[in-house]
Each structure stands twice: as structure tokens, then as C-alpha cells.
Amino acid sequence: MAAAAFFYLFAGICIASAFMVIAGRNPVTSVLFLILAFFNAAGLFVLIGAEFLAMMLVVVYVGAVAVLFLFVVMMIDVDFAELKAGFLQYLPVGALVAIVFLIELVMVVGTLFADPASLQVAAGAVADAPAAGVTNTQAIGQVLYTQYLFAFQAAGFVLLVAMVGAIVLTLRHKPNVKRQDIAEQVARSHKTVIELKKVPSRQGV
Amino acid sequence: MTSVTLPAIGVVLPELLLAVGSLALLLIGAVRGDRASGLVNALALVLLVLAGIAVAFQGPEKIVAFNGSFVLDGFARFWKLLALIGSAAAIAMSREFFVRERLDKFEFPVLVLLSTLGMLLMISADSLLILYVGLELQSLAIYVIAAFDRDNARSTEAGLKYFVLGALSSGMLLYGSSLVYGLTGSIVFSDIAAALAGGHGVLFIFGLVFIIAGLAFKISAVPFHMWTPDVYEGAPTPVTAFLAAAPKMAAMALIVRVLMGVFPAIVDQWQQIIVFVALASMALGSFAAIGQRSIKRLMAYSSIGHMGYALVGLAAGTPQGVEAVLIYTAIYLATTLGAFAGILALRNGNVYVDRIDDLAGLSRSQPALAFFFAMIFFSFAGIPPWAGFFGKLYVFGAAIEAGLYTLAIIGVLTSVVGAFYYLRVVKIIYFDEPKAPYEPMTPVLKLVLGASSVVVLLFWVLPAPLVGAAAVAAKSLF
């Protein structure tokens, strides 16, 4: 009972804050609502016993991604009000598409109520639950590098491509920038940097 | 503790070669800088050839490895060879162009290699997870190389447009995959097929539609084609050649494997979708290309149309139809690579031309190039006895055998419309007043155009090797 109450609490706040993300006028409040949505999604994960995923969501998405968003939103000078200016213009077409989608979804859900068997999940769908006494962090660790080794490595290559791509598209070597070259600094000797001059008395340099 | 045994390395040898090789090339480039771009380019070509040899020497039996994420069968080998050929030709043709445009960075061949690795993963995918990761690896590298000419507004626009729309299509694919996973409880293709055989609900069709939408985007089939003309036109020409060839092979392989291998139980459900997509692609490819002035845009619409013809074979839903898809796409690959070798040869000094009118009088300044170029366009139009005609013959034959008469008839009619603009190019080459003469072709372009012409012109003399290989490959899927 308590679990159900918490589910509706988390799910409700999650959807409401997701709505506020796209409805917010100020991009900074949008990002803050996004963080709230992440926190509530993490709460949902805790409810189904996936505490590792919940922690990852908070650490990675709230701790890194959302903060990065906030940085970018605050640093770049984008006039979001101007971006949304054409919104009303597209509203009729958008609303039409949305209504068609809504009708279709209602029809699909209607058939589900008429024929509950069509929602039947195939046997074995909820299999592979970790054995008793194994935390889900351990369970993920056990399959990540064994059963899903292939996908794991392939995902690593996707990240590599992202990195190479970012460098190819944005890195520019500027010619007139002075950079610290430690090797050059260390290699300096007294012969190259100190010049001894004999200054004759009473004559100056 | 789940015990795991590494399968014999031979199963993934081509993928391993590309993966390790691309890392090594990345290191060479990082250490030696852009001076090494020629070396990296050559080594990338060698790697692709080695991977091709490794694919050719893999045994004929079907092997499933890595706990049902990877499958190797005759079907996969056929498509892998096509994808490797497409990538190798694109890398070989790119060098001259990038040097002249001052874009010769070592990252280009490395990104093409990584993209090709993604294609091989897609072709051998045996679970929804690998399908997605392979697709994303392939696409992400292509988004980058489409924007490779980063100081050119058209090129960056092409990359950005492709990226945004590609991300949308990935979202649809993932949504469909999650529905399928939720309803069958497995991401492994064979388990999904088994669960399906025991009946399915409405929601499952919902998931299937989203998966088809995501995959149709990758072969630029109507109604998911919007990105194609702009991206083809904006991207540097060797990138366009790559885009038109290799990724189409992998995405087509994936569509055929998913629909024929995973969802054969609901063929009546997806058949109508594929029939519609094929019809719309053929029609749009034919009619929209008529008004084009840019060769690259023309090739974009041409590729949309050709993917439509290939899907006609898939719509049949029979082993014969799959064989027709294999033959059609192989011929399309050869013809497209030849056409792009010709386009890349149209150069005055450092200026590459892009307008169809610039082809005027090519027959007088370069008779050999003009002849092969014209024959390739005849083949695109489907004029016998060149290879393109036989490709169409096989797909329409399969459609008629399956009783899809309307589809076949409309397909023939649209190919008549398409013949108009292909023949117009030939007319401009042979009968219009010549403009500035072009410089002679480089040996690499000659080689690609020559190899392509051999396939296009001599297929009717000796069709057995390709048709036989396609038959074996198609059989391994059933």
C-alpha cells in the first residue's frame, strides 16, 4: 500500500515536472525541473528494487549531465522567447497531429480493454531475477562483462566515435597562442639563457 | 556466477580486425598528425581488404555467438562483403578529393572504418541490443563525416540535419524495441520469433511499426527520406559516395533480417507497410528527380527510388524475394560506385563541378569516361541488357510470383518515368555543346569505374556467380 502511494507520488511529480520542462518560460527553471524529474525517476527505480540504477541516475544525470546543461544554458546567449515566437503559427497543424495520435492511442487502449489477453506478457518475461542475497549491483556486474561483453565493447566504440567526432569538428590550432611547453622549459640550460658581459669600468654598457 | 566461454575468435575476425586496426590507425594519426593522412588512408584500405578476405574465408555454417548477440551465416557474409566493398571504394576515391580541397585529415579513414565496423555489427546482429548499438556506431561516424568540411555552411548543415533527424529515428527505433521487449520478454531475435509464433497482440504491431520506421530512415525510404537530398548535396562528394553505398547495404540487411527472420509469423501485418513504403519510394524517386539540376541531388532521389525497388522484393516475403533483394542491392552498389567515380572525375583544376549541365559535351573531351558514364545511367534506368535491368527483373518477378501484381505494374511504370531523367543525362553528355574540358581521370577513379563497368556491362554474360551467391545467402536465412 505504501509502495503504491509512493509510486503515484513519484510518477505524478515526474510527469508534472517533465511538463514544466517544456512549458517553462525561463530555460534555467526548465533545467531545474529536469533535475526534479530525474530525482523522481530515481525514486521509481528504488521502488522496483533497482537501487544501483537509481544511484547512477542521480550521479550521472543530475550530477553531471544536468549541471552541464545548466552551464550551457547560462553561458550561451540564446533568446528562448524568440525561438518560441513561431509556436502559435504551427499550433493548428501540431494540434491536429496530436489529436489524431490521441484518437489512435485511445483506440489501441480500447482494444486492450476489450481483449485483455493481448497485453499478456510471454512466459519467462520476468525471468533472470538475481538469486537471493545478490544485490543488483553485483547482478549487473556479473552479466555486464560476461553475457553482454560484446554489446559493452561495441558501446565503447560508439563513445570513441563521439570523442573523435567532437575533436575533428571543433578543434582548431590557433597560430598566435603562447602555450607552456614544459619540455622546452626543462631543457633550457645556463648556456642558452644567461649571457655574460664584461662591463669596462667607467664606460657603461 | 555466470560462466562464459569465449567463442572462437574466427567468428568475429573481420570485426576484430577493423576494431583493433582503427584504434592503431588512430594512434598513428595522433602521433604523426595530418602528415600521416596518406599513410592512414592506405592502411585503412588494406584493413578493409583483409577484413573482406576474412569474411570470404569464414565457413558456410550458421554460428550464434556471444550469448545470442551475434550471428554469422551466409546471409551475413554476403552483405558484409558488399558493405566492405562500398567502404573500400569510398576510401580509395576520397584521397584525391580531400587533398585538393585541403581537408586531408587522418580522421576521415578512421571514422569510415569505425562506421564500417558498425555496419558489420548491424549485419550480424542477433538481438535488439546489438542492432541498436551497431546502428548508432554506423550513424554517429557518418554524422561526423557529413559535416567534415566544417568551414562550409552546406556541409555543417548536412551533418546537423542528418544528426537531428537520425536521433529522432533512433528514438523511434528504441521505442519500438522497448515495446517488443516488454511484450516478449527477450531481446534475442530467436526468442522473440518463438514468442511471436504463440500469438501476438495489437501492441506488438505498434512496436513493429516503430522499428520499421527507424530502419526505413536509414535506407531513406519514403516517408522517411526528407534528409536525403540535402545531406547528399551538402556533404563532401566522397562522403556522399560512401553514404549512397555502404550504409544502405547494412540497413537493408537489417530490415530483411528483422522482417524475414524475426517477424515471419506476422508477414501479413508488415507486408502492407513494406508495399506502401516501396510504392511511395519508387514514385517519389522518379518524379522528384525530374526537376533536379545538381548531380548529387539527382543521385539522392535515384537512391530513394532504388531502395523502393529493392523493397519490392522484400514485400513479396518469399525466399525468392529475398534473393531478388540481394541481387538488386549488389547491382545497385556496383552501379552507384561507378557513377560516383564518374562524378568525382569531373574536375577543372581544383574545382569540382556539381551541375548536370556541366556534363555537356563530355563525349568529345573524354570519350571513354562519357561512354561508361552513359552505360551506368542506362543501367540505372533499367535498359537491357545492362545489369540494372536484371535487378528489376528479379524483384518484379518475385513480386508477381507472390501475387503483388499492382505493385509490380506501378513499379514498372515508375521506372519508365525514371528513365526520362537518366536518359536526359546521357543526352546532355552526347548531344549538348561542350563546355570546358575536364582533366584526365586519376588511376584510382579509373579502377573503380572500370570494376563497376565490368559488373554493369557483363552481368548478362555471366550472371551465375552473383545469382548463385545470392541464392545461397538467401537460403541461409530460412
Side-chain angles (χ1 to χ4, degrees), chain B residues 122 131-132 135-136 138-139 143 162 165-177 205-225 227 247 250-252 254-255 258-259 273-274 277:
Chain B
M122 284 163 75
L131 180 160
Y132 176 69
L135 193 80
E136 210 53 33
Q138 181 255 112
S139 315
Y143 303 148
Y162 194 23
L165 291 175
L168 187 70
S169 83
S170 292
M172 287 200 268
L173 184 77
L174 282 178
Y175 182 55
S177 304
I205 314 284
F206 226 65
L208 175 71
V209 169
F210 276 99
I211 290 181
I212 292 179
L215 293 178
F217 177 87
K218 297 295 171 197
I219 57 163
S220 67
V222 179
F224 307 101
H225 65 283
W227 56 277
M252 194 52 107
L254 203 50
I255 289 195
V258 167
L259 292 184
I273 304 176
I274 297 297
V277 170

Short mmCIF file of all heavy atoms in Angstrom, two decimals, chain B residues 122 131-132 135-136 138-139 143 162 165-177 205-225 227 247 250-252 254-255 258-259 273-274 277:
data_model
loop_
_atom_site.label_atom_id
_atom_site.label_comp_id
_atom_site.label_asym_id
_atom_site.label_seq_id
_atom_site.Cartn_x
_atom_site.Cartn_y
_atom_site.Cartn_z
N MET B 122 25.69 -4.45 -37.37
CA MET B 122 24.27 -4.45 -37.75
C MET B 122 23.92 -5.71 -38.54
O MET B 122 22.89 -6.34 -38.31
CB MET B 122 23.97 -3.25 -38.65
CG MET B 122 23.87 -1.92 -37.96
SD MET B 122 24.00 -0.59 -39.16
CE MET B 122 22.38 -0.65 -39.93
N LEU B 131 21.63 -4.68 -32.48
CA LEU B 131 21.04 -3.94 -33.60
C LEU B 131 21.19 -2.45 -33.35
O LEU B 131 21.67 -1.70 -34.19
CB LEU B 131 19.57 -4.32 -33.72
CG LEU B 131 18.68 -3.71 -34.81
CD1 LEU B 131 17.47 -4.61 -35.01
CD2 LEU B 131 18.19 -2.33 -34.48
N TYR B 132 20.81 -2.03 -32.14
CA TYR B 132 20.83 -0.60 -31.85
C TYR B 132 22.26 -0.06 -31.76
O TYR B 132 22.58 0.99 -32.32
CB TYR B 132 20.07 -0.30 -30.56
CG TYR B 132 20.17 1.15 -30.20
CD1 TYR B 132 19.53 2.10 -30.98
CD2 TYR B 132 20.94 1.58 -29.14
CE1 TYR B 132 19.65 3.44 -30.70
CE2 TYR B 132 21.06 2.92 -28.86
CZ TYR B 132 20.41 3.84 -29.64
OH TYR B 132 20.55 5.17 -29.37
N LEU B 135 23.84 0.12 -35.19
CA LEU B 135 23.22 1.20 -35.96
C LEU B 135 23.75 2.55 -35.53
O LEU B 135 24.07 3.42 -36.34
CB LEU B 135 21.71 1.14 -35.75
CG LEU B 135 20.84 1.96 -36.67
CD1 LEU B 135 20.68 1.21 -37.97
CD2 LEU B 135 19.48 2.18 -36.05
N GLU B 136 23.89 2.71 -34.21
CA GLU B 136 24.32 4.00 -33.68
C GLU B 136 25.80 4.24 -34.00
O GLU B 136 26.18 5.36 -34.34
CB GLU B 136 24.09 4.01 -32.16
CG GLU B 136 23.80 5.34 -31.58
CD GLU B 136 22.67 6.08 -32.26
OE1 GLU B 136 21.70 5.45 -32.74
OE2 GLU B 136 22.75 7.31 -32.33
N GLN B 138 27.43 3.07 -36.58
CA GLN B 138 27.48 3.38 -38.01
C GLN B 138 27.04 4.82 -38.26
O GLN B 138 27.72 5.58 -38.93
CB GLN B 138 26.57 2.38 -38.74
CG GLN B 138 26.51 2.52 -40.22
CD GLN B 138 25.21 3.15 -40.67
OE1 GLN B 138 25.20 4.26 -41.16
NE2 GLN B 138 24.12 2.46 -40.49
N SER B 139 25.90 5.21 -37.66
CA SER B 139 25.34 6.54 -37.96
C SER B 139 26.18 7.66 -37.37
O SER B 139 26.42 8.67 -38.03
CB SER B 139 23.93 6.66 -37.41
OG SER B 139 23.19 5.53 -37.70
N TYR B 143 27.45 10.99 -39.26
CA TYR B 143 27.08 12.38 -38.96
C TYR B 143 28.33 13.24 -38.98
O TYR B 143 28.32 14.37 -39.49
CB TYR B 143 26.45 12.51 -37.57
CG TYR B 143 25.23 11.66 -37.30
CD1 TYR B 143 24.97 11.17 -36.03
CD2 TYR B 143 24.35 11.36 -38.32
CE1 TYR B 143 23.85 10.40 -35.78
CE2 TYR B 143 23.24 10.58 -38.07
CZ TYR B 143 22.99 10.10 -36.80
OH TYR B 143 21.91 9.34 -36.55
N TYR B 162 21.27 15.72 -40.60
CA TYR B 162 21.30 14.27 -40.53
C TYR B 162 21.31 13.81 -39.07
O TYR B 162 20.63 12.85 -38.71
CB TYR B 162 22.54 13.77 -41.27
CG TYR B 162 22.54 12.30 -41.58
CD1 TYR B 162 21.35 11.58 -41.64
CD2 TYR B 162 23.72 11.62 -41.83
CE1 TYR B 162 21.36 10.23 -41.94
CE2 TYR B 162 23.73 10.28 -42.13
CZ TYR B 162 22.55 9.60 -42.17
OH TYR B 162 22.56 8.26 -42.46
N LEU B 165 17.71 14.46 -37.36
CA LEU B 165 16.71 13.52 -37.84
C LEU B 165 17.10 12.08 -37.48
O LEU B 165 16.24 11.25 -37.18
CB LEU B 165 16.52 13.67 -39.34
CG LEU B 165 15.86 14.99 -39.73
CD1 LEU B 165 15.81 15.15 -41.24
CD2 LEU B 165 14.45 15.06 -39.17
N GLY B 166 18.41 11.81 -37.52
CA GLY B 166 18.86 10.47 -37.16
C GLY B 166 18.58 10.17 -35.70
O GLY B 166 18.18 9.05 -35.35
N ALA B 167 18.76 11.16 -34.83
CA ALA B 167 18.47 10.96 -33.41
C ALA B 167 16.98 10.67 -33.22
O ALA B 167 16.59 9.80 -32.44
CB ALA B 167 18.88 12.19 -32.61
N LEU B 168 16.14 11.39 -33.99
CA LEU B 168 14.69 11.15 -33.91
C LEU B 168 14.37 9.71 -34.32
O LEU B 168 13.60 9.01 -33.65
CB LEU B 168 13.98 12.14 -34.83
CG LEU B 168 12.46 12.14 -34.76
CD1 LEU B 168 12.03 12.72 -33.43
CD2 LEU B 168 11.88 12.94 -35.90
N SER B 169 15.01 9.25 -35.42
CA SER B 169 14.70 7.90 -35.88
C SER B 169 15.22 6.86 -34.89
O SER B 169 14.59 5.83 -34.68
CB SER B 169 15.29 7.66 -37.26
OG SER B 169 16.64 7.31 -37.17
N SER B 170 16.37 7.15 -34.25
CA SER B 170 16.86 6.22 -33.22
C SER B 170 15.86 6.14 -32.07
O SER B 170 15.64 5.07 -31.51
CB SER B 170 18.21 6.69 -32.67
OG SER B 170 19.19 6.57 -33.64
N GLY B 171 15.28 7.30 -31.73
CA GLY B 171 14.28 7.31 -30.67
C GLY B 171 13.10 6.42 -31.01
O GLY B 171 12.63 5.65 -30.17
N MET B 172 12.64 6.50 -32.26
CA MET B 172 11.51 5.66 -32.67
C MET B 172 11.87 4.19 -32.61
O MET B 172 11.10 3.35 -32.15
CB MET B 172 11.08 6.05 -34.08
CG MET B 172 10.37 7.37 -34.14
SD MET B 172 9.40 7.53 -35.62
CE MET B 172 10.56 8.31 -36.68
N LEU B 173 13.10 3.90 -33.11
CA LEU B 173 13.55 2.50 -33.09
C LEU B 173 13.59 1.97 -31.66
O LEU B 173 13.14 0.85 -31.39
CB LEU B 173 14.93 2.44 -33.73
CG LEU B 173 15.53 1.05 -33.88
CD1 LEU B 173 14.88 0.35 -35.04
CD2 LEU B 173 17.01 1.12 -34.08
N LEU B 174 14.11 2.78 -30.74
CA LEU B 174 14.22 2.34 -29.35
C LEU B 174 12.84 2.16 -28.72
O LEU B 174 12.61 1.22 -27.96
CB LEU B 174 15.03 3.35 -28.54
CG LEU B 174 16.53 3.28 -28.73
CD1 LEU B 174 17.20 4.35 -27.92
CD2 LEU B 174 17.04 1.92 -28.31
N TYR B 175 11.92 3.08 -29.05
CA TYR B 175 10.57 2.96 -28.50
C TYR B 175 9.93 1.65 -28.97
O TYR B 175 9.37 0.89 -28.17
CB TYR B 175 9.74 4.16 -28.94
CG TYR B 175 8.35 4.17 -28.39
CD1 TYR B 175 8.13 4.09 -27.02
CD2 TYR B 175 7.25 4.26 -29.23
CE1 TYR B 175 6.86 4.09 -26.52
CE2 TYR B 175 5.97 4.26 -28.73
CZ TYR B 175 5.77 4.18 -27.37
OH TYR B 175 4.52 4.17 -26.87
N GLY B 176 10.07 1.37 -30.27
CA GLY B 176 9.54 0.11 -30.80
C GLY B 176 10.20 -1.09 -30.15
O GLY B 176 9.54 -2.05 -29.76
N SER B 177 11.54 -1.02 -29.98
CA SER B 177 12.26 -2.14 -29.37
C SER B 177 11.78 -2.37 -27.94
O SER B 177 11.62 -3.52 -27.52
CB SER B 177 13.76 -1.86 -29.35
OG SER B 177 14.23 -1.59 -30.63
N ILE B 205 2.19 -5.01 -32.84
CA ILE B 205 2.22 -4.38 -34.16
C ILE B 205 2.71 -2.94 -34.02
O ILE B 205 3.47 -2.43 -34.85
CB ILE B 205 0.81 -4.37 -34.80
CG1 ILE B 205 0.16 -5.72 -34.66
CG2 ILE B 205 0.87 -3.92 -36.25
CD1 ILE B 205 0.66 -6.74 -35.57
N PHE B 206 2.26 -2.30 -32.93
CA PHE B 206 2.69 -0.94 -32.62
C PHE B 206 4.22 -0.87 -32.58
O PHE B 206 4.83 -0.02 -33.21
CB PHE B 206 2.12 -0.57 -31.25
CG PHE B 206 1.49 0.77 -31.20
CD1 PHE B 206 0.36 1.04 -31.95
CD2 PHE B 206 2.02 1.76 -30.39
CE1 PHE B 206 -0.22 2.28 -31.89
CE2 PHE B 206 1.44 3.00 -30.34
CZ PHE B 206 0.32 3.26 -31.09
N GLY B 207 4.82 -1.78 -31.83
CA GLY B 207 6.28 -1.82 -31.73
C GLY B 207 6.93 -2.08 -33.07
O GLY B 207 7.92 -1.44 -33.44
N LEU B 208 6.34 -3.00 -33.83
CA LEU B 208 6.90 -3.35 -35.13
C LEU B 208 6.92 -2.14 -36.05
O LEU B 208 7.91 -1.89 -36.75
CB LEU B 208 6.06 -4.48 -35.75
CG LEU B 208 6.45 -4.88 -37.16
CD1 LEU B 208 7.78 -5.59 -37.13
CD2 LEU B 208 5.40 -5.75 -37.79
N VAL B 209 5.82 -1.36 -36.03
CA VAL B 209 5.75 -0.18 -36.90
C VAL B 209 6.87 0.79 -36.55
O VAL B 209 7.53 1.33 -37.45
CB VAL B 209 4.37 0.50 -36.76
CG1 VAL B 209 4.38 1.86 -37.43
CG2 VAL B 209 3.29 -0.37 -37.35
N PHE B 210 7.11 0.98 -35.25
CA PHE B 210 8.16 1.92 -34.87
C PHE B 210 9.54 1.40 -35.28
O PHE B 210 10.40 2.18 -35.70
CB PHE B 210 8.11 2.19 -33.37
CG PHE B 210 7.12 3.25 -33.01
CD1 PHE B 210 5.87 2.93 -32.54
CD2 PHE B 210 7.44 4.59 -33.18
CE1 PHE B 210 4.96 3.91 -32.24
CE2 PHE B 210 6.53 5.58 -32.88
CZ PHE B 210 5.28 5.24 -32.41
N ILE B 211 9.76 0.09 -35.17
CA ILE B 211 11.06 -0.46 -35.58
C ILE B 211 11.24 -0.27 -37.08
O ILE B 211 12.31 0.15 -37.55
CB ILE B 211 11.16 -1.94 -35.19
CG1 ILE B 211 11.27 -2.06 -33.68
CG2 ILE B 211 12.37 -2.58 -35.85
CD1 ILE B 211 11.40 -3.47 -33.19
N ILE B 212 10.19 -0.54 -37.86
CA ILE B 212 10.30 -0.37 -39.31
C ILE B 212 10.58 1.10 -39.65
O ILE B 212 11.39 1.40 -40.52
CB ILE B 212 9.02 -0.85 -40.02
CG1 ILE B 212 8.88 -2.36 -39.88
CG2 ILE B 212 9.05 -0.48 -41.50
CD1 ILE B 212 7.64 -2.92 -40.52
N ALA B 213 9.92 2.02 -38.92
CA ALA B 213 10.15 3.44 -39.20
C ALA B 213 11.61 3.81 -38.97
O ALA B 213 12.23 4.50 -39.78
CB ALA B 213 9.25 4.29 -38.31
N GLY B 214 12.18 3.31 -37.86
CA GLY B 214 13.57 3.62 -37.56
C GLY B 214 14.51 3.07 -38.62
O GLY B 214 15.47 3.73 -39.01
N LEU B 215 14.23 1.85 -39.10
CA LEU B 215 15.12 1.26 -40.10
C LEU B 215 14.91 1.90 -41.47
O LEU B 215 15.87 2.07 -42.23
CB LEU B 215 14.87 -0.25 -40.19
CG LEU B 215 15.27 -1.04 -38.93
CD1 LEU B 215 14.94 -2.51 -39.10
CD2 LEU B 215 16.74 -0.87 -38.64
N ALA B 216 13.65 2.25 -41.79
CA ALA B 216 13.38 2.85 -43.10
C ALA B 216 14.10 4.19 -43.23
O ALA B 216 14.52 4.58 -44.31
CB ALA B 216 11.88 3.04 -43.30
N PHE B 217 14.28 4.88 -42.10
CA PHE B 217 15.02 6.14 -42.14
C PHE B 217 16.43 5.90 -42.67
O PHE B 217 16.97 6.69 -43.43
CB PHE B 217 15.09 6.73 -40.73
CG PHE B 217 15.89 7.99 -40.65
CD1 PHE B 217 15.31 9.21 -40.89
CD2 PHE B 217 17.24 7.94 -40.35
CE1 PHE B 217 16.05 10.37 -40.84
CE2 PHE B 217 17.99 9.09 -40.30
CZ PHE B 217 17.39 10.31 -40.54
N LYS B 218 17.04 4.79 -42.25
CA LYS B 218 18.43 4.54 -42.61
C LYS B 218 18.59 4.20 -44.08
O LYS B 218 19.66 4.40 -44.64
CB LYS B 218 19.01 3.41 -41.76
CG LYS B 218 19.06 3.73 -40.29
CD LYS B 218 20.00 4.86 -39.98
CE LYS B 218 19.84 5.29 -38.54
NZ LYS B 218 20.42 6.60 -38.29
N ILE B 219 17.58 3.61 -44.72
CA ILE B 219 17.71 3.38 -46.16
C ILE B 219 17.03 4.50 -46.93
O ILE B 219 16.84 4.41 -48.13
CB ILE B 219 17.13 2.02 -46.61
CG1 ILE B 219 15.68 1.88 -46.20
CG2 ILE B 219 17.95 0.87 -46.08
CD1 ILE B 219 14.98 0.78 -46.96
N SER B 220 16.64 5.57 -46.23
CA SER B 220 15.99 6.73 -46.84
C SER B 220 14.82 6.34 -47.71
O SER B 220 14.72 6.75 -48.86
CB SER B 220 16.99 7.58 -47.62
OG SER B 220 17.47 6.91 -48.75
N ALA B 221 13.93 5.50 -47.17
CA ALA B 221 12.71 5.16 -47.90
C ALA B 221 11.63 6.17 -47.55
O ALA B 221 11.57 6.65 -46.42
CB ALA B 221 12.26 3.75 -47.53
N VAL B 222 10.80 6.51 -48.51
CA VAL B 222 9.67 7.41 -48.26
C VAL B 222 8.76 6.71 -47.26
O VAL B 222 8.54 5.51 -47.39
CB VAL B 222 8.92 7.68 -49.59
CG1 VAL B 222 7.72 8.58 -49.35
CG2 VAL B 222 9.88 8.28 -50.60
N PRO B 223 8.20 7.36 -46.27
CA PRO B 223 8.19 8.79 -45.95
C PRO B 223 9.29 9.24 -44.98
O PRO B 223 9.07 10.19 -44.25
CB PRO B 223 6.83 8.95 -45.31
CG PRO B 223 6.58 7.66 -44.63
CD PRO B 223 7.28 6.61 -45.42
N PHE B 224 10.40 8.57 -44.96
CA PHE B 224 11.49 8.97 -44.04
C PHE B 224 12.71 9.41 -44.84
O PHE B 224 13.84 9.15 -44.46
CB PHE B 224 11.84 7.81 -43.11
CG PHE B 224 10.65 7.26 -42.39
CD1 PHE B 224 10.05 6.11 -42.83
CD2 PHE B 224 10.11 7.93 -41.32
CE1 PHE B 224 8.93 5.62 -42.20
CE2 PHE B 224 8.99 7.45 -40.69
CZ PHE B 224 8.40 6.29 -41.12
N HIS B 225 12.47 10.08 -45.97
CA HIS B 225 13.53 10.38 -46.92
C HIS B 225 13.96 11.83 -46.87
O HIS B 225 14.88 12.22 -47.56
CB HIS B 225 13.01 10.11 -48.32
CG HIS B 225 11.90 11.05 -48.66
ND1 HIS B 225 10.63 10.88 -48.16
CD2 HIS B 225 11.89 12.20 -49.38
CE1 HIS B 225 9.87 11.88 -48.58
NE2 HIS B 225 10.59 12.69 -49.30
N TRP B 227 15.71 13.86 -45.32
CA TRP B 227 17.08 14.31 -45.11
C TRP B 227 17.94 14.06 -46.35
O TRP B 227 18.94 14.73 -46.55
CB TRP B 227 17.69 13.56 -43.93
CG TRP B 227 17.64 12.07 -44.08
CD1 TRP B 227 16.59 11.25 -43.80
CD2 TRP B 227 18.67 11.23 -44.58
NE1 TRP B 227 16.91 9.95 -44.09
CE2 TRP B 227 18.18 9.91 -44.57
CE3 TRP B 227 19.97 11.47 -45.03
CZ2 TRP B 227 18.94 8.82 -45.01
CZ3 TRP B 227 20.72 10.38 -45.45
CH2 TRP B 227 20.19 9.08 -45.43
N PRO B 247 26.28 2.21 -46.15
CA PRO B 247 25.26 2.13 -45.09
C PRO B 247 23.93 1.57 -45.58
O PRO B 247 23.22 0.92 -44.83
CB PRO B 247 25.09 3.59 -44.65
CG PRO B 247 26.24 4.32 -45.18
CD PRO B 247 26.70 3.59 -46.39
N ALA B 250 24.04 -2.20 -45.17
CA ALA B 250 23.84 -2.69 -43.81
C ALA B 250 22.39 -2.52 -43.37
O ALA B 250 21.80 -3.43 -42.77
CB ALA B 250 24.77 -1.94 -42.85
N ALA B 251 21.79 -1.36 -43.69
CA ALA B 251 20.42 -1.13 -43.24
C ALA B 251 19.45 -2.06 -43.96
O ALA B 251 18.49 -2.57 -43.35
CB ALA B 251 20.04 0.33 -43.48
N MET B 252 19.71 -2.30 -45.25
CA MET B 252 18.84 -3.21 -45.98
C MET B 252 18.95 -4.62 -45.40
O MET B 252 17.95 -5.33 -45.25
CB MET B 252 19.23 -3.18 -47.46
CG MET B 252 18.23 -3.81 -48.39
SD MET B 252 16.56 -3.18 -48.17
CE MET B 252 16.36 -2.19 -49.59
N LEU B 254 19.63 -5.39 -42.41
CA LEU B 254 18.96 -5.41 -41.12
C LEU B 254 17.45 -5.50 -41.30
O LEU B 254 16.77 -6.28 -40.62
CB LEU B 254 19.33 -4.13 -40.37
CG LEU B 254 19.20 -4.17 -38.86
CD1 LEU B 254 19.89 -5.38 -38.32
CD2 LEU B 254 19.81 -2.92 -38.29
N ILE B 255 16.91 -4.73 -42.24
CA ILE B 255 15.46 -4.78 -42.48
C ILE B 255 15.05 -6.19 -42.89
O ILE B 255 14.09 -6.76 -42.36
CB ILE B 255 15.05 -3.78 -43.58
CG1 ILE B 255 15.17 -2.36 -43.05
CG2 ILE B 255 13.64 -4.04 -44.04
CD1 ILE B 255 14.46 -1.36 -43.90
N VAL B 258 15.40 -8.61 -39.89
CA VAL B 258 14.39 -8.41 -38.85
C VAL B 258 13.01 -8.87 -39.34
O VAL B 258 12.31 -9.61 -38.65
CB VAL B 258 14.34 -6.93 -38.42
CG1 VAL B 258 13.11 -6.64 -37.58
CG2 VAL B 258 15.59 -6.58 -37.63
N LEU B 259 12.64 -8.47 -40.55
CA LEU B 259 11.29 -8.80 -41.01
C LEU B 259 11.16 -10.28 -41.37
O LEU B 259 10.17 -10.92 -41.02
CB LEU B 259 10.90 -7.91 -42.19
CG LEU B 259 10.71 -6.44 -41.82
CD1 LEU B 259 10.24 -5.65 -43.02
CD2 LEU B 259 9.73 -6.30 -40.68
N ILE B 273 2.81 -2.64 -44.98
CA ILE B 273 3.66 -1.46 -44.72
C ILE B 273 4.76 -1.38 -45.77
O ILE B 273 5.01 -0.33 -46.36
CB ILE B 273 4.30 -1.55 -43.31
CG1 ILE B 273 3.21 -1.70 -42.26
CG2 ILE B 273 5.16 -0.34 -43.04
CD1 ILE B 273 3.76 -1.89 -40.87
N ILE B 274 5.41 -2.52 -46.02
CA ILE B 274 6.53 -2.52 -46.97
C ILE B 274 6.02 -2.21 -48.38
O ILE B 274 6.68 -1.48 -49.14
CB ILE B 274 7.26 -3.88 -46.93
CG1 ILE B 274 7.89 -4.10 -45.56
CG2 ILE B 274 8.34 -3.94 -47.99
CD1 ILE B 274 8.95 -3.09 -45.19
N VAL B 277 5.61 1.54 -48.48
CA VAL B 277 6.89 2.24 -48.48
C VAL B 277 7.57 2.08 -49.84
O VAL B 277 8.12 3.04 -50.41
CB VAL B 277 7.80 1.70 -47.35
CG1 VAL B 277 9.20 2.22 -47.49
CG2 VAL B 277 7.23 2.10 -46.00
#
